[in-house]
Amino acid sequence: MPNVMSGQAIPSPMDRPLDHGRHTPYFGQPDYRIYELNKRLQQRTEESDNLWWDAFVTEFFEDDATLTLTFCLEDGPKRYTIGRTLIPRYFRSIFEGGVTDLYFNLKHPKESFHNTTITLDCDQSTMVTHHGKPMFTKVCTEGRLILEFTFDDLMRIKSWHFATRQHRELIPRSVIAMQQDPAMLEQLSKNITRQGLTNFTLNYLRLCVILEPMQELMSRHKAYSLSPRDCLKTTLFQKWQRMVAPPETQRPPSKRRKRKSSTGGAGAGAIGNPTSNGPGPKKKMSPGPQNFSLASQDVMVVGEPSLMGGEFGDEDERLITRLENTQYDGTNGMDEHEDFSNSPMTSTASPWPGSQDRTGSGPPGSQDSDKKSPAISQ
């Protein structure tokens, strides 16, 4: 096995040729993807900019990927979760904190296959970092690594969760043998990391607690060139709309009101007001459904004698029924003769014989006898 301390190549978890193309399927090979991730990290240079780190994360992480780190510091347990846009800066912060090399070792990983994902669970994983300052130090951070890959030909990481248990900082024995100064030996005995993470990375993770909720604001500012205050206003307004919009969209009051008004107005007009569909004067026509509203408190249920009024007479049921649809038109006369002159029941095209001169004041039999009386006298 090559010596890691000497800076040689990292041993592969499996003996496979490395000349495969990028688009070679990775079905069932999540551990090989970790090996490729280590290999890509070795290709980093001091000139690697944000574009290089973004391309690195795009190759190995999904667009909606999340990275979670859990560890315990002196003041208690910590848990940090960052999204896809902040992952490149996280890996870059490790190297900006003095790390010269970074790779992950997995021992006895367990794989589980699902419909669309593959989960790799390794309880004996180690994140190894090499530090060059203040002197060469190898830091081994041991913990449990749980990775969730998408089950496709790219096999990119959808979820990364590393739970740190302990860490060890190793320095070469030759460095200690060369030091005779007790103060220098005391300095060498102090840790340069906290749970395997440098102060630079820890500060970035603390900053991510503020940056993560602001991703929407920053994206809106970049897309629309709005001021920070305007971005905050529009974002809060849209969040408020999403909070109040679901109850309005789930219940369709307007549609129900229109449906009831059309059926109720048409049905009542056909029964209670025969002249509403006739070609008579418009002032005698019943108001259309657009003026009818179920929210009006004046509209009452048909069949309430106390509300319909008894002063119109109990002998004419049609007049009482008509009151429901004429309360919006004060000019509708209930006793005028022309109210029924244009009724379809009294038109010339009516199939009922002798119904042309019927006015509703008497029974149909009397009207027929009045019309035929001249013929009888002849």
Side-chain angles (χ1 to χ4, degrees), residues 45-188:
T45 61
E46 295 297 334
E47 291 77 18
S48 298
D49 55 0
N50 292 333
L51 295 178
W52 189 93
W53 285 108
D54 190 72
F56 163 77
V57 174
T58 301
E59 181 179 358
F60 293 99
F61 288 85
E62 287 288 336
D63 296 336
D64 57 345
T66 59
L67 187 145
T68 303
L69 301 176
T70 57
F71 47 88
C72 186
L73 296 180
E74 296 81 3
D75 54 347
K78 305 294 181 181
R79 180 186 179 94
Y80 296 97
T81 301
I82 58 178
R84 163 64 181 81
T85 56
L86 301 178
I87 293 178
R89 184 66 180 176
Y90 161 74
F91 282 98
R92 186 176 182 178
S93 69
I94 296 177
F95 291 90
E96 290 179 349
V99 175
T100 59
D101 199 1
L102 167 66
Y103 55 91
F104 297 87
N105 288 335
L106 307 181
K107 292 183 180 180
H108 310 294
K110 299 179 181 179
E111 303 172 2
S112 57
F113 296 83
H114 306 280
N115 293 332
T116 58
T117 60
I118 301 177
T119 302
L120 184 144
D121 189 349
C122 183
D123 192 60
Q124 301 181 25
S125 61
T126 305
M127 181 181 70
V128 182
T129 56
H130 292 175
H131 298 255
K133 297 178 181 180
M135 61 181 55
F136 180 81
T137 307
K138 177 182 177 181
V139 180
C140 300
T141 306
E142 301 175 358
R144 180 181 182 182
L145 181 63
I146 302 177
L147 302 179
E148 183 179 347
F149 296 84
T150 55
F151 192 55
D152 55 11
D153 57 342
L154 298 180
M155 277 196 66
R156 297 192 297 180
I157 300 172
K158 188 177 181 65
S159 175
W160 175 298
H161 186 187
F162 186 71
T164 302
R165 282 194 299 265
Q166 63 179 356
H167 83 290
R168 294 176 290 114
E169 298 186 1
L170 310 177
I171 58 177
R173 185 185 299 271
S174 59
V175 175
I176 301 178
M178 292 172 55
Q179 299 294 334
Q180 302 296 332
D181 187 3
M184 191 60 184
L185 292 177
E186 181 69 18
Q187 183 68 22
L188 292 177

